[in-house]
Amino acid sequence: MERGKPNLTLVYQAVQALYHDPDPSGKERASVWLGELQRSMYAWEISDQLLQLKQDVESCYFAAQTMKMKIQTSFYELPPETHNALRESLLTHIQNLKDLSPIIVTQLALAIADLALQMASWKGCVHTLIEKYNNDISSMPFLIEILTVLPEEVHSRSLRIGANRRTEIIEDLAYYSSTVVTLLTSCVEKAGSDEKMLIKVFRCLGSWFNLGVLDSNFMASNQLLMVLFQVLQRDETSTNLHEAASDCVCSSLYAIENVESNMGLALQLFQGVLTLETAYHMAVAREDLDKVLNYCRIFTELCETFLETTVRSPGQGMGDLRTLELLLICAGHPQYEVVEISFNFWYRLGEHLYKINDAALHNIFRPYIQRLLHCLARHCQLDPDHDGIPEDTDDFGEFRMRVSDLVKDVIFLVGSMECFSQLYSTLKEGNPSWEVTEAVLFIMAAIAKSVDPSNPGCSMSHVEVSLIKPCVFFRENNPTLSEVLQQVVLLPETVHMAVRYTSIELVGEMSEVVDRNPRFLDPVLNYLMKGLREKSLASAAAKAIHNICSVCRDHMAQHFQGLLDIARALDSFVLSTEAAVGLLKGTALVLARLPLEKIAECLSDLCAVQVIALKKLLAEESTNGKSADPTVWLDRLAVIFRHTNPIVENGQTHPCQKVIQEIWPVLSETLNTHQADNRIVERCCRCLRFAVRCVGKGSASLLQPLVTQMVSVYQVYPHSCFLYLGSILVDEYGMEEGCRQGLLDMLQALCMPTFQLLEQQNGLRNHPDTVDDLFRLATRFVQRSPVTLLSSSIIVHIIQCAIAATSLDHRDANCSVMKFVRDLVHTGVANDHEEDFEVRKQLIGQAMEQHGQQLITQLMHSCCFCLPPYTLPDVAEVLWEVMVFDRATFCRWLENALKGLPKETSGGAVTVTHKQLTDFHKQVTSAEECKQVCWAIREFTRLFR
């Protein structure tokens, strides 16, 4: 944007270009220019003028949106004496523009609400607005819009009004809530059949319910509730009105989660929702899916609200089990989207019953869970005309995955073995269609791992409603797990492809049964090998083989040659990348169980395919100059190194050491060739990381050439993965006296380009991975060789970088920074009886003397203004360690840091009182454990959010 205030014509042209320029680059230029305008001080005046001109919808929408954004993010730019004028201007604009477009009204309503929340001098804003517009029927739509968004904005993350102001506002809104409800009731009376007004009223009422400020006794007897249920009971209610009414009822149910303290309203809502069953059936008959989904949302919210009551007193009062019947009626709907709405409730019910662990209570709820499982099995059926394997990435595939998760969570109520047996009996005794068979196998696969093989029979409890059809099971006629496995692997190849696919998944899930019954290993492997050779089934079969290898490692050792043959021919099978890597992982797990003298040769054979492929790529690169992607082979080598973990006694040479030394030149050349490509370099470093971890100190011969190459490439291409690899080397060799100086030289050489990168404008924010990996490396040094690091010249720069990075709101990067500072200070606290403790303590003392005040001040500022709440436990640990190191000095540093915090918002509201500051200081400095510091910070930082 050009310097100085732009004229309105230019702004208008830019808005027109944004919406109407056919050239995308013209739109992009307009967007950038307007974005800069919005961030400037001129945006206030320009927006106000555009709204006065009322030229067209686009310019007014841009102006209204800009005004809202400025109030949310830049309210501090306006001096307090302008606040009243801004309020009057916005109210004038919303009145003048009320008929232009609803989206403009909403933006202006948000601007007014955000102003009211920040402007401490605007007392009783709800009362003021109602008084001003109550008698003007044409103003009612925008008045209700303001009253709708006002409660929604109280907890908006865009506004940092602080806990004190938020509490003040909530109390104010609670005081005027009955006035708002009375206004809404009056609107309904006057609206008659005006559907738009009814929708606005229901949205507004829902918003006030969500804030939790409505008086439940007042609402219990209010006619708005009656109107809500009348609307939901009427067959002719339109879709939009039905959705608004449903949203409002759901909000009201959510608001009374504490049923005991809201008995009157709870009873009215409970009885009201139970009247909707007939309306639900009518919606089903009319095939009105939107309404069906709305009813199911309401029934689910009812069950969620009364969950504890239902579990505490099932069948009594508001623990009436008709609520569960409503959900099961919905579960019977043919569309799977309907039952999916209730999944969270069933999960929570299972969780409650599992914790209580009362057999009598379980018996009450068991029939409901059995009926649910029956419905879920039916919903998981593929269409009869479905070709090929089940898709797991489309909506229906994701639904089946959620069913699988839910079944695992609630199966304990029915009994895994009992359910498994019932499912199997339906396949054995009936003659089900392929899609029923596949769905039953799918549910069996979900519960296979939770079946207790030590008890092949089911529990003696009688099954009131079985999963597929009513029957009572007795131990003697119950099929064993091994029988299931035996029958599944005998399925003919002529059955539907989807049945074969899911049966392969079931076999993979039954790997523990195979481990206990090794006689099945050969037929199972033969069955899976058939699948591996078929294009559609290959990936599922590979995953199943991986599972078998993971669980049956000792039994699979005799089949290692077969696994090696598969690995050599891996690319002849049609496998997903994940499945191929999984097969190699399984092979490596079995390899680690071979006799030590065989491991080196077998590992060399397993790696050979990958190494030959990498050599071929390098040769092609040198002859024709074309660069091919080596990541497939690097990832395969990485998984082999990662999972080849043989047990090696002290003094024995690691069997993998020789193989890794032989492979190093190929990895080194691959790294050099692709040093400019971050993705490939990351995969190289990952491969090297697992190679080093595999042989531990057996990789000592690689240390010098690897570090030299890392440092050399990093000077030109500062890929953060080199820092991470450096941390692995420090972890493995940092305690070796002969390696410490070399590792420190590596750290210093890597730090220089890193600091140059991070000192650029927005460097920390633009390179969070580099921050993360730098402080992982520094932390490893603190853990393995603290005196080496603390005695070096680089430590000052690392600490300064850490202090600057404490405000970075990136989860992993911030966690690494806090862990570094915490561990650094801890080395001066933890008297681990090492001979260097006094030296460490002295060096930490010097560092704290130099940086302590700056660190505490920055931490407090970051907590209050930059960091999300989930980072606060890490900050608390840092504060705790500094306090344990020197409590008296810490008390002074914290006091100075607190004095520097702002006491008022730009809107004139009190952010933090003197008492709150002194209370917080006392809570932290008198804390006897770290979690007390964490609680204190959580409460204190709410004052600034």
Side-chain angles (χ1 to χ4, degrees):
M1 194 178 81
E2 61 193 36
R3 291 184 180 279
K5 177 184 160 187
N7 66 55
L8 279 177
T9 307
L10 202 57
V11 177
Y12 183 73
Q13 286 170 351
V15 171
Q16 290 303 303
L18 180 67
Y19 287 103
H20 302 297
D21 193 329
D23 179 12
S25 62
K27 280 181 183 286
E28 181 60 29
R29 283 195 302 275
S31 177
V32 170
W33 190 86
L34 289 168
E36 288 179 12
L37 169 63
Q38 287 181 316
R39 287 186 289 275
S40 75
M41 274 292 294
Y42 300 115
W44 296 102
E45 190 181 345
I46 295 284
S47 300
D48 189 52
Q49 290 173 344
L50 285 173
L51 290 167
Q52 282 176 17
L53 282 173
K54 198 178 171 182
Q55 205 151 354
D56 55 27
V57 171
E58 287 95 343
S59 61
C60 287
Y61 176 72
F62 169 76
Q65 187 190 44
T66 302
M67 196 65 88
K68 177 204 73 177
M69 193 188 82
K70 293 297 283 185
I71 291 170
Q72 281 182 348
T73 61
S74 309
F75 190 56
Y76 60 87
E77 292 177 351
L78 296 180
E81 60 271 16
T82 63
H83 294 172
N84 283 335
L86 176 62
R87 177 185 64 191
E88 296 311 313
S89 172
L90 287 171
L91 291 173
T92 301
H93 290 319
I94 200 168
Q95 184 144 32
N96 291 339
L97 298 165
K98 61 179 182 282
D99 300 321
L100 187 60
S101 166
I103 58 170
I104 293 170
V105 170
T106 299
Q107 293 298 308
L108 288 172
L110 283 164
I112 292 164
D114 292 340
L115 176 63
L117 296 178
Q118 293 181 89
M119 188 174 157
S121 59
W122 188 358
K123 305 291 184 187
C125 64
V126 170
H127 181 70
T128 309
L129 291 166
I130 291 176
E131 282 277 295
K132 184 164 185 172
Y133 299 112
N134 188 22
N135 296 320
D136 179 9
I137 196 155
S138 68
S139 301
M140 205 53 66
F142 76 73
L143 172 60
I144 293 178
E145 187 68 22
I146 296 170
L147 294 175
T148 301
V149 299
L150 184 61
E152 292 171 351
E153 288 296 285
V154 170
H155 293 291
S156 168
R157 291 184 179 179
S158 303
L159 297 175
R160 299 185 73 95
I161 56 176
N164 286 335
R165 175 64 179 156
R166 197 168 279 112
T167 301
E168 183 187 340
I169 289 160
I170 290 171
E171 288 172 358
D172 192 53
L173 295 182
Y175 182 78
Y176 289 111
S177 62
S178 55
T179 310
V180 173
V181 174
T182 304
L183 173 74
L184 295 178
T185 308
S186 165
C187 285
V188 168
E189 289 168 356
K190 293 172 186 172
S193 58
D194 183 352
E195 186 179 294
K196 284 184 179 176
M197 181 54 78
L198 279 177
I199 291 172
K200 282 183 176 296
V201 167
F202 292 159
R203 271 192 60 225
C204 187
L205 182 61
S207 175
W208 285 74
F209 267 127
N210 286 335
L211 190 61
V213 293
L214 294 180
D215 183 296
S216 64
N217 292 326
F218 178 72
M219 287 310 302
S221 57
N222 191 276
Q223 75 174 88
L224 278 180
L225 274 192
M226 187 175 67
V227 174
L228 268 175
F229 286 111
Q230 284 173 350
V231 164
L232 289 168
Q233 286 162 355
R234 276 204 301 268
D235 183 34
E236 62 273 14
T237 299
S238 72
T239 302
N240 290 343
L241 181 57
H242 197 275
E243 183 175 15
S246 300
D247 288 344
C248 188
V249 170
C250 288
S251 296
S252 65
L253 285 165
Y254 184 79
I256 57 149
E257 198 114 42
N258 186 352
V259 174
E260 279 71 23
S261 58
N262 297 286
M263 283 303 266
L265 181 56
L267 186 60
Q268 291 297 319
L269 291 169
F270 187 86
Q271 292 171 343
V273 174
L274 288 181
T275 67
L276 300 177
E277 184 181 343
T278 307
Y280 168 83
H281 288 300
M282 184 60 75
V284 173
R286 294 195 183 279
E287 298 184 2
D288 190 335
L289 184 59
D290 289 332
K291 286 187 180 178
V292 166
L293 292 168
N294 287 337
Y295 288 124
C296 189
R297 282 196 298 126
I298 293 171
F299 298 156
T300 302
E301 200 64 61
L302 178 77
C303 289
E304 296 251 19
T305 295
F306 292 96
L307 172 61
E308 290 187 15
T309 311
T310 308
V311 171
R312 194 169 55 246
S313 52
Q316 299 168 30
M318 286 186 278
D320 194 327
L321 294 173
R322 279 184 296 169
T323 55
L324 299 191
E325 291 288 350
L326 288 174
L327 282 197
L328 289 172
I329 289 168
C330 292
H333 191 277
Q335 298 288 337
Y336 70 83
E337 295 92 343
V338 180
V339 68
E340 193 170 18
I341 290 170
S342 64
F343 278 14
N344 189 59
F345 164 75
W346 294 113
Y347 165 74
R348 284 186 61 206
L349 175 65
E351 194 177 39
H352 266 65
L353 293 172
Y354 186 80
K355 284 178 183 172
I356 294 169
N357 195 20
D358 180 328
L361 205 55
H362 287 191
N363 285 334
I364 293 171
F365 288 97
R366 181 176 291 118
Y368 294 95
I369 299 299
Q370 287 171 326
R371 286 165 61 192
L372 173 69
L373 293 175
H374 172 86
C375 292
L376 293 177
R378 186 171 48 74
H379 278 299
C380 283
Q381 290 174 20
L382 298 164
D383 288 334
D385 57 356
H386 179 91
D387 284 330
I389 64 171
E391 290 291 334
D392 56 2
T393 53
D394 62 5
D395 289 346
F396 185 57
E398 287 179 8
F399 166 75
R400 283 175 36 124
M401 287 300 104
R402 289 194 67 198
V403 167
S404 177
D405 292 339
L406 178 60
V407 168
K408 289 169 187 169
D409 287 330
V410 299
I411 195 63
F412 72 93
L413 282 164
V414 177
S416 305
M417 191 68 238
E418 194 164 324
C419 182
F420 201 80
S421 304
Q422 289 183 35
L423 288 163
Y424 178 60
S425 72
T426 64
L427 300 180
K428 187 178 171 186
E429 295 165 13
N431 185 23
S433 60
W434 77 261
E435 67 272 14
V436 171
T437 301
E438 191 278 334
V440 169
L441 290 171
F442 177 77
I443 300 292
M444 288 173 78
I447 61 175
K449 279 187 178 170
S450 63
V451 175
D452 181 6
S454 63
N455 175 17
C458 65
S459 65
M460 291 301 289
S461 64
H462 289 259
V463 185
E464 291 176 39
V465 185
S466 81
L467 186 61
I468 306 298
K469 58 186 179 184
C471 67
V472 178
F473 281 98
F474 298 97
R475 192 180 294 274
E476 56 269 19
N477 70 356
N478 203 29
T480 61
L481 289 165
S482 52
E483 185 188 343
V484 172
L485 195 58
Q486 200 169 5
Q487 292 302 315
V488 167
V489 299
L490 290 174
L491 277 173
E493 292 180 32
T494 53
V495 299
H496 194 285
M497 190 64 77
V499 175
R500 292 182 65 197
Y501 180 89
T502 304
S503 68
I504 286 170
E505 288 194 323
L506 173 58
V507 169
E509 291 298 310
M510 294 182 73
S511 49
E512 288 179 14
V513 180
V514 178
D515 193 41
R516 286 180 170 85
N517 298 275
R519 68 184 187 279
F520 287 124
L521 192 56
D522 283 353
V524 161
L525 289 175
N526 288 335
Y527 179 67
L528 295 177
M529 278 307 299
K530 286 179 190 173
L532 194 62
R533 294 188 192 99
E534 290 198 38
K535 181 178 176 181
S536 301
L537 304 175
S539 289
K543 186 181 174 187
I545 293 171
H546 166 211
N547 282 354
I548 299 285
C549 289
S550 300
V551 175
C552 315
R553 291 165 72 173
D554 292 322
H555 298 309
M556 283 298 293
Q558 61 182 309
H559 292 280
F560 181 76
Q561 189 57 48
L563 291 171
L564 191 57
D565 291 340
I566 293 172
R568 284 174 175 148
L570 207 54
D571 291 308
S572 67
F573 304 111
V574 185
L575 296 172
S576 68
T577 304
E578 182 188 2
V581 167
L583 257 178
L584 288 174
K585 175 185 172 182
T587 307
L589 289 170
V590 175
L591 168 62
R593 292 297 173 94
L594 298 180
L596 279 186
E597 64 274 11
K598 287 188 176 181
I599 288 178
E601 183 189 349
C602 292
L603 177 63
S604 183
D605 288 345
L606 187 57
C607 293
V609 176
Q610 284 58 246
V611 174
I612 290 166
L614 287 172
K615 284 179 176 175
K616 187 179 174 187
L617 293 182
L618 291 168
E620 288 172 1
E621 166 85 18
S622 61
T623 54
N624 61 24
K626 284 188 178 176
S627 179
D629 188 348
T631 53
V632 169
W633 314 106
L634 292 169
D635 288 349
R636 291 181 183 181
L637 279 175
V639 81
I640 293 167
F641 294 146
R642 184 176 189 175
H643 296 286
T644 305
N645 298 313
I647 298 163
V648 181
E649 302 294 335
N650 280 340
Q652 288 181 307
T653 302
H654 199 291
C656 304
Q657 185 176 323
K658 181 169 173 286
V659 180
I660 287 170
Q661 285 170 346
E662 289 169 357
I663 292 172
W664 158 247
V666 180
L667 294 176
S668 174
E669 194 180 343
T670 302
L671 179 56
N672 250 354
T673 302
H674 299 279
Q675 60 183 272
D677 189 322
N678 183 60
R679 188 177 65 91
I680 295 175
V681 171
E682 270 193 358
R683 301 305 235 290
C684 276
C685 286
R686 186 169 175 273
C687 188
L688 288 163
R689 162 193 164 194
F690 289 124
V692 170
R693 287 294 198 204
C694 176
V695 294
K697 293 180 178 57
S699 61
S701 61
L702 304 184
L703 191 57
Q704 186 64 45
L706 175 54
V707 167
T708 303
Q709 186 172 6
M710 283 165 56
V711 169
S712 168
V713 175
Y714 194 77
Q715 305 302 314
V716 187
Y717 301 107
H719 304 299
S720 74
C721 52
F722 286 124
L723 300 171
Y724 188 89
L725 185 54
S727 74
I728 302 298
L729 297 176
V730 172
D731 194 36
E732 291 291 340
Y733 295 100
M735 296 180 81
E736 301 291 310
E737 190 62 48
C739 298
R740 285 175 172 173
Q741 187 56 48
L743 290 170
L744 180 64
D745 292 342
M746 173 194 77
L747 173 67
Q748 290 176 318
L750 294 173
C751 274
M752 288 307 118
T754 304
F755 292 150
Q756 287 171 10
L757 187 70
L758 298 180
E759 283 165 6
Q760 295 170 3
Q761 189 175 3
N762 293 324
L764 292 167
R765 184 165 294 281
N766 293 340
H767 303 283
D769 292 345
T770 300
V771 175
D772 182 16
D773 292 332
L774 170 66
F775 287 101
R776 282 176 187 269
L777 170 56
T779 302
R780 289 295 191 197
F781 240 112
V782 168
Q783 292 166 344
R784 294 288 175 262
S785 186
V787 174
T788 307
L789 179 63
L790 286 163
S791 307
S792 70
S793 58
I794 198 72
I795 186 64
V796 174
H797 304 289
I798 294 175
I799 292 174
Q800 285 174 341
C801 184
I803 292 171
T806 55
S807 61
L808 189 61
D809 64 345
H810 182 280
R811 185 186 287 267
D812 293 338
N814 192 275
C815 183
S816 290
V817 171
M818 295 301 173
K819 181 165 177 52
F820 163 71
V821 181
R822 179 235 174 248
D823 285 8
L824 184 74
V825 180
H826 188 70
T827 56
V829 173
N831 188 352
D832 44 17
H833 307 293
E834 294 284 337
E835 57 192 38
D836 65 353
F837 173 67
E838 289 303 325
V839 178
R840 293 193 326 244
K841 188 173 180 180
Q842 184 185 352
L843 289 168
I844 292 296
Q846 291 168 4
M848 285 290 98
E849 191 178 336
Q850 194 174 351
H851 306 286
Q853 179 66 73
Q854 186 191 359
L855 171 66
I856 302 303
T857 301
Q858 182 68 24
L859 280 174
M860 287 313 304
H861 183 272
S862 297
C863 280
C864 294
F865 301 109
C866 307
L867 299 180
Y870 65 75
T871 61
L872 298 182
D874 295 337
V875 177
E877 287 194 4
V878 175
L879 295 177
W880 172 255
E881 291 296 338
V882 176
M883 182 164 68
V884 172
F885 183 76
D886 185 346
R887 193 174 286 259
T889 310
F890 171 78
C891 290
R892 192 172 69 251
W893 287 339
L894 182 60
E895 184 181 345
N896 292 337
L898 294 177
K899 283 177 181 173
L901 293 173
K903 312 300 184 287
E904 278 193 1
T905 67
S906 51
V910 174
T911 304
V912 57
T913 64
H914 179 71
K915 184 178 185 306
Q916 286 169 328
L917 287 169
T918 53
D919 285 352
F920 171 68
H921 188 276
K922 185 179 178 183
Q923 285 166 357
V924 173
T925 55
S926 63
E928 293 179 2
E929 51 185 343
C930 184
K931 65 181 178 184
Q932 292 173 316
V933 176
C934 186
W935 292 335
I937 293 176
R938 279 192 192 282
E939 286 304 310
F940 184 70
T941 53
R942 286 194 180 112
L943 300 171
F944 297 87
R945 292 190 192 284

